[in-house]
């Protein structure tokens, strides 16, 4: 029986391995992590991450051919294929701080693999890593190998949170990069055979190691660039009276462009886009490609601009001050159908409003109070480390309350900011909400989920990103 071990039981390691276990009943899959809390949660009824369909998959395989364990060394030593899906945060100190990937966790995983291995292994990079990481890992493994043969493959993960299970069941493509030697090609075939249990062969792409590593960074940069492009247009739409939904529909019907990923919003978030683009920028700079680096920097700058612009709209619309005013924040996760808040635009928006002394009442159907308080008090990039290495119990931000209901959040509020596109925010009883708010009552829709016309009929002053402005907002321009 082929044995797979995955180091890192996070958003990628957990769902990916659960699907491999489901689709390959004859493969034994162990997911290991240094975080005891995470492994305990994977073995409980309350999984550590929320993903539609994940629970069903885990329940079908757990205890049969899918195991979650903290016994990292034993499972690694027994495995034929070792996936590494650990954190690759942005460096906060030293050379490349604020840009380069911090490979501390990757390196320590590699050293541990070398230390405990007694048989040949295929080591698969699942984490998103800088180009040429495989070469560094290969050096660590071969210099500590005691005669064992290690083959390194790059198999970046393209799943999107919120649709992870669907994406894993039916991926657009699986990408496997390996050495162009006979042993490298054999390793590629071995991993291909795993995916071939359910992925059609023409969707399994094989490349050299460096192409696979760079393709992941490139794919995330292209995706983020689309969002920044449409968000840049949203600012121009507001200035000219155009409607960004109409513009992106008209643009997206061009088959060369396509309709997906063209929704204007308060900005992109998630653990990967910013980190991976910063990493790409750093690699460009290291290779002397200043213009290329500057090109990609602009994608992040526009994203920051969009979040600032939103905060400025809120403050300027409410007579240039939100000091002491209650603002309801609906949605905190970086997108709907996930509880993940890593790099969510809500953090910067909330911090911006708190900077102007607002009182915030936050509601998100999937994010806990503890997580929100952590996010609002943590330093940039601290979030992307294993939880036990993050700052301990940060002090709660006093002007923030977290509630479990949108009506409670908006009671007596002066304004509402919608920051995640949860479906339930479309169906709220806005008349009831309006009746319980201070007047004038504002809605700032950062995701274009509400029917602005209906809300205006009720009496709200509505700001929808990239849409023609209310006369009220026109009279109170926001300088970004
Ligand atoms: P995560 O933070 O949810 O999970 C990483 C896990 O690795 C943590 O539970 C941590 O405790 C564990 N870990 C760290 N060092 C370890 C070690 N030496 N031994 C055992 N466990 C260790 O991170 P996530 O989101 O799963 O991402 C992992 C990688 O996959 C990152 O490189 C990320 O860029 C990439 N990725 C993430 C995607 C996403 O949607 N979240 C999508 C595609 C790629």
């Amino acid at each position: 029986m082929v044995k797979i071990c995955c180091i890192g039981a996070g958003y990628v390691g957990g769902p990916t391995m659960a699907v491999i276990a489901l689709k390959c009943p004859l493969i034994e899959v162990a997911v290991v992590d240094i975080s005891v809390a995470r492994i305990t949660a994977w073995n409980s009824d309350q999984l550590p991450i929320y993903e539609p369909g994940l629970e069903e998959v885990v329940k079908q395989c757990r205890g049969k051919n899918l195991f979650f364990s903290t016994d990292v060394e034993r499972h690694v030593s027994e495995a034929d294929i070792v996936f590494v899906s650990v954190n690759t945060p942005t460096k906060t100190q030293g050379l490349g701080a604020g840009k380069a990937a911090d490979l501390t966790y990757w390196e320590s995983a590699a050293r541990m693999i070398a230390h405990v291995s007694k048989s040949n292994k295929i080591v698969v990079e699942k984490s998103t890593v800088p180009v040429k990481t495989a070469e560094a890992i290969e050096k660590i493994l071969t210099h500590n190998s005691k005669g064992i043969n290690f083959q390194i493959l790059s198999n970046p993960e393209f799943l999107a949170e919120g649709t992870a299970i669907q994406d894993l069941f039916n991926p657009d493509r699986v990408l496997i990069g390996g050495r162009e030697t006979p042993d490298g090609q054999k390793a590629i075939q071995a991993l291909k055979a795993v995916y071939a249990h359910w992925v059609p062969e023409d969707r399994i792409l094989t490349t050299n190691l460096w192409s696979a590593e760079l393709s992941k960074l490139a794919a995330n940069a292209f995706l983020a660039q689309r969002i920044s492009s449409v968000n840049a247009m949203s600012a121009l739409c507001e200035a000219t009276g155009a409607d960004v939904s109409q513009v992106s529909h008209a643009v997206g019907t061009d088959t060369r462009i396509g309709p997906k990923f063209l929704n204007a919003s308060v900005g992109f978030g998630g653990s990967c886009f910013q980190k991976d683009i910063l990493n790409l920028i750093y690699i460009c700079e290291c290779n002397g490609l200043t213009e290329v680096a500057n090109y990609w920097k602009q994608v992040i700058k526009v994203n920051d601009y969009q979040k600032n612009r939103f905060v400025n709209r809120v403050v300027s619309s409410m007579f240039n001050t939100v000091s002491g005013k209650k603002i309801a924040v609906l949605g905190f996760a970086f997108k709907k159908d996930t509880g993940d808040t890593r790099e969510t635009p809500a953090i910067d928006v909330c911090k911006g409003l708190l900077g102007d002394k607002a009182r915030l009442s936050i509601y998100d159907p999937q994010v806990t109070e503890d997580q929100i308080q952590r996010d609002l008090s943590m330093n940039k990039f601290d979030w992307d480390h294993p939880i036990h290495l993050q700052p301990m119990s940060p002090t709660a931000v006093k002007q923030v309350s977290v509630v479990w209901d949108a009506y409670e959040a908006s009671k007596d509020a002066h304004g509402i900011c919608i920051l995640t596109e949860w479906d339930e925010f479309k169906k709220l009883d806005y008349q009831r909400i309006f009746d319980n708010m201070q007047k004038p009552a504002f809605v700032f829709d950062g995701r274009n989920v509400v029917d602005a016309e209906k809300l205006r009929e009720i009496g709200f002053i509505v700001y929808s990103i990239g849409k023609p402005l209310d006369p009220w907002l026109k009279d109170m321009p926001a300088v970004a």
Side-chain angles (χ1 to χ4, degrees), residues 7-13 32-35 38 72 85-88 105 108-109 112 126-129 157-161 216 271-272 275-276 340 342 384 386-388:
I7 306 175
Y11 285 85
V12 170
V32 297
D33 204 295
I34 41 178
S35 163
R38 254 204 169 155
V72 181
S85 183
V86 300
N87 323 55
T88 48
Y105 305 111
S108 92
M112 184 271 297
K126 200 50 155 166
S127 303
T128 305
V129 290
E157 185 48 59
F158 292 102
L159 67 79
E161 286 178 33
K216 175 62 190 175
S271 65
C272 295
K275 159 173 88 75
D276 294 349
D340 193 355
R342 297 178 293 178
D384 201 7
I387 199 139
H388 65 283

Side-chain angles (χ1 to χ4, degrees), residues 106 110 114 123 125 132-145 148-153 177-181 183-184 209-210 213:
W106 231 114
V123 177
E125 284 179 347
K132 298 271 171 177
T133 300
E135 198 167 74
I137 301 305
E138 207 171 50
K139 281 185 186 144
I140 293 173
L141 290 171
T142 48
H143 280 87
N144 295 282
S145 73
I148 289 164
N149 183 277
F150 292 106
Q151 280 303 318
I152 321 291
L153 297 178
R179 284 273 181 206
E180 280 145 330
T181 58
D183 279 350
L209 275 172
W210 330 128
E213 288 179 337

Side-chain angles (χ1 to χ4, degrees), residues 168-406:
L168 288 164
F169 279 175
N170 191 20
D172 289 338
R173 78 306 207 185
V174 166
L175 180 58
I176 305 175
R179 284 273 181 206
E180 280 145 330
T181 58
D183 279 350
Q185 293 302 307
K186 228 168 100 188
I188 290 180
Q189 291 311 320
L191 186 56
K192 204 172 164 184
V194 173
Y195 285 106
H197 281 84
W198 78 99
V199 181
E201 190 148 351
D202 60 349
R203 289 204 215 156
I204 307 179
L205 314 181
T206 58
T207 63
N208 71 29
L209 275 172
W210 330 128
S211 301
E213 288 179 337
L214 185 56
S215 299
K216 175 62 190 175
L217 295 182
N220 273 353
F222 276 47
L223 288 169
Q225 180 211 41
R226 260 174 100 91
I227 299 181
S228 279
S229 296
V230 75
N231 283 345
M233 284 299 157
S234 76
L236 190 55
C237 285
E238 287 168 30
T240 56
D243 178 329
V244 75
S245 304
Q246 294 175 350
V247 173
S248 54
H249 179 68
V251 170
T253 43
D254 185 325
T255 49
R256 291 169 304 177
I257 297 172
K260 289 185 183 163
F261 243 63
L262 281 182
N263 286 332
S265 70
V266 61
F268 62 72
S271 65
C272 295
F273 283 177
Q274 173 162 304
K275 159 173 88 75
D276 294 349
I277 295 176
L278 286 172
N279 190 346
L280 188 65
I281 292 167
Y282 184 68
I283 297 170
C284 293
E285 285 173 350
C286 290
N287 283 286
L289 302 171
T290 313
E291 277 72 17
V292 185
N294 288 343
Y295 175 75
W296 290 111
K297 263 183 205 165
Q298 206 55 34
V299 172
I300 293 180
K301 278 194 187 160
V302 167
N303 199 45
D304 288 339
Y305 165 79
Q306 189 76 344
K307 292 181 273 189
N308 284 336
R309 211 165 71 73
F310 187 85
V311 172
N312 291 348
R313 275 281 181 220
V314 177
V315 177
S316 67
S317 310
M318 298 171 89
F319 314 104
N320 247 341
T321 176
V322 288
S323 178
K325 291 178 185 165
K326 178 176 172 182
I327 311 262
V329 172
L330 301 189
F332 198 82
F334 83 95
K335 64 173 175 179
K336 73 171 180 177
D337 291 338
T338 174
D340 193 355
T341 60
R342 297 178 293 178
E343 288 291 337
T344 174
I347 296 176
D348 285 340
V349 170
C350 288
K351 283 186 174 172
L353 295 172
L354 289 168
D356 226 284
K357 297 206 173 70
R359 288 183 298 122
L360 303 183
S361 185
I362 305 177
Y363 163 67
D364 186 289
Q366 284 297 336
V367 186
T368 61
E369 172 162 14
D370 177 62
Q371 187 61 51
I372 290 174
Q373 290 288 5
R374 266 177 173 282
D375 287 336
L376 292 179
S377 47
M378 233 185 291
N379 290 328
K380 210 168 165 53
F381 303 129
D382 273 351
W383 53 270
D384 201 7
H385 292 267
I387 199 139
H388 65 283
L389 297 178
Q390 289 174 12
M392 297 298 280
S393 50
T395 44
V397 182
K398 277 203 290 300
Q399 311 93 297
V400 173
S401 65
V402 178
V403 295
W404 281 101
D405 174 46

Side-chain angles (χ1 to χ4, degrees), residues 29-78:
V29 182
V31 191
V32 297
D33 204 295
I34 41 178
S35 163
V36 178
R38 254 204 169 155
I39 292 298
T40 308
W42 279 112
N43 283 319
S44 76
D45 284 339
Q46 196 67 46
L47 300 185
I49 62 174
Y50 171 71
E51 226 10 280
L54 173 65
E55 203 175 319
E56 289 75 8
V57 176
V58 169
K59 278 189 176 156
Q60 279 186 66
C61 319
R62 197 172 53 190
K64 291 184 190 143
N65 66 332
L66 175 66
F67 303 92
F68 295 94
S69 168
T70 49
D71 194 348
V72 181
E73 298 192 356
R74 177 168 72 85
H75 287 287
V76 168
S77 101
E78 288 175 0

